[in-house]
Amino acid sequence: MRPPAITFRPFTADDLPLLAGWLARPHVARWWREDPGLAAVEVRYSPTLDGRDPTELFVLEADGAPAGLFQRYLAADYPQWAAALHETGQPGVDAAAGIDYLIGDAALTGRGLGTLAIAAFTRMALARYPAAGLVVVAVSQHNIASWRALEKAGYRRCWAGELASDDPSDEGPMYLYRHDRGVTR
């Protein structure tokens, strides 16, 4: 079975219903703990769409069909998050780029799509943020599929514990993964 052709396109307001649907799916809702109602999704993501929030959103497409959401940002743009990362004691993480992701259709999980997309999106994040020496991802210790995909994409686990984050998706025991600039898979 050949790997799918993947692309990332900018997320638009027309994608909000798609995202709401993905957030409502059990395999996503378990880890991405947000209200999946369309009104809540519009409130949460509109600041990103209109430039009030510096996070950049993308739709992952696999063989031309929407497959997931990927986002990138600089930790320094979110002082509380940068402070939480700093508390892990890992060098450089408070000035890192960060990514988050979800695969919206459960039928697309477990096939290597996540690994392929994470590796490609990491390269894009490092190109977008040339001053960032690394990309970080916080993932629940219980989300085995996600942290395995990160490891296959060249990330290494650098910390375990509970993050001082106000994001409900960061509650509980977490792993911090890092991909340093210049490291290849």
Side-chain angles (χ1 to χ4, degrees), residues 23 47 52 65-66 75 88 113 119 130-131 139 161 180:
L23 292 172
R52 290 178 287 144
T88 68
L113 175 64
V139 62
D180 291 83

Side-chain angles (χ1 to χ4, degrees), residues 5-124:
I6 63 165
T7 57
F8 296 92
R9 66 167 173 79
F11 186 93
T12 69
D14 292 339
D15 295 313
L16 290 167
L18 179 65
L19 177 57
W22 287 337
L23 292 172
R25 294 183 178 170
H27 78 283
V28 174
R30 182 174 180 196
W31 311 114
W32 203 288
R33 300 176 191 133
E34 293 182 12
D35 182 341
L38 183 56
V41 170
E42 288 173 348
V43 167
R44 167 74 175 86
Y45 290 92
S46 289
T48 303
L49 294 173
D50 67 19
R52 290 178 287 144
D53 182 315
T55 295
E56 297 175 316
L57 301 173
F58 296 86
V59 173
L60 164 67
E61 293 186 339
D63 291 331
L69 174 78
F70 275 67
Q71 62 183 25
R72 66 185 178 200
Y73 52 88
L74 287 173
D77 287 337
Y78 301 93
Q80 191 273 339
W81 181 238
L85 291 172
H86 182 77
E87 289 178 18
T88 68
Q90 292 299 305
V93 294
D94 48 345
I99 66 168
D100 300 297
Y101 50 84
L102 64 84
I103 302 297
D105 183 347
L108 297 175
T109 64
R111 298 176 163 194
L113 175 64
T115 298
L116 185 65
I118 289 166
F121 199 71
T122 297
R123 289 189 299 273
M124 290 173 57

Side-chain angles (χ1 to χ4, degrees), residues 14 136 140 143 166:
D14 292 339
V136 295
S140 170
N143 192 344
D166 60 356

